[in-house]
Amino acid sequence: MLHEVARLFRGRIEARVGRHGLSEAQLRLLMRLWKEEGATQARLAQILEVEPISISRLLDRMEQGGWIERRQDARDRRVRKIFTTEKTRGIRDAVKDTAAQVMEEALAGVPSEARDIIYDGLETMARNLGGGADLTAVCSNNKEGQPREAGMEDQP
């Protein structure tokens, strides 16, 4: 069930953000970079659960499209860090708003108390299975009533 909801969630976002010409994989990468600007290629491959050669090809396409830029690490010339560009930063709010809208559509009819239980349960499951990785669940508000950051890599 989790896999199916995640698939539908990603598909809905990709359909709406597709006008920017980004694939789901590219969107997932950008969502991560917005949280972790300057991540290494190796780190991005690990997070996105793809082989290093696959991330390299993805980054090649994104660099050619003007979405990202690669920079050598000042301390280790073998390491390439990835940064967003002005073009990418220009669509950030629209993409995040779209993700939040899709989440609200997915949660339509779910009472706020049940939402808190769902989010807490998913966060616990992610911690249990992810060895403490930062896998904050997406939702409109946290327990303090503050907006949680929406992101495709964080969906249920």
Side-chain angles (χ1 to χ4, degrees), residues 108-124:
V110 177
S112 62
E113 304 81 33
R115 289 180 184 200
D116 287 343
I117 292 168
I118 291 168
Y119 299 133
D120 290 345
L122 288 171
E123 287 175 343
T124 299

Side-chain angles (χ1 to χ4, degrees), residues 94-133:
V95 170
K96 288 189 160 284
D97 288 347
T98 298
Q101 290 167 5
V102 171
M103 183 55 73
E104 280 304 311
E105 291 170 19
L107 291 169
V110 177
S112 62
E113 304 81 33
R115 289 180 184 200
D116 287 343
I117 292 168
I118 291 168
Y119 299 133
D120 290 345
L122 288 171
E123 287 175 343
T124 299
M125 290 168 65
R127 278 191 307 276
N128 291 345
L129 297 173

Side-chain angles (χ1 to χ4, degrees), residues 64-126:
Q64 289 169 355
W67 296 107
I68 58 104
E69 65 177 301
R70 292 173 168 137
R71 300 180 198 159
Q72 286 186 332
D73 187 303
R75 293 172 287 182
D76 186 344
R77 293 182 48 176
R78 296 170 296 174
V79 175
R80 310 270 315 257
K81 292 190 171 191
I82 312 304
F83 294 87
T84 58
T85 64
E86 194 60 40
K87 179 178 181 178
T88 303
R89 290 185 291 275
I91 67 162
R92 181 178 191 242
D93 289 341
V95 170
K96 288 189 160 284
D97 288 347
T98 298
Q101 290 167 5
V102 171
M103 183 55 73
E104 280 304 311
E105 291 170 19
L107 291 169
V110 177
S112 62
E113 304 81 33
R115 289 180 184 200
D116 287 343
I117 292 168
I118 291 168
Y119 299 133
D120 290 345
L122 288 171
E123 287 175 343
T124 299
M125 290 168 65

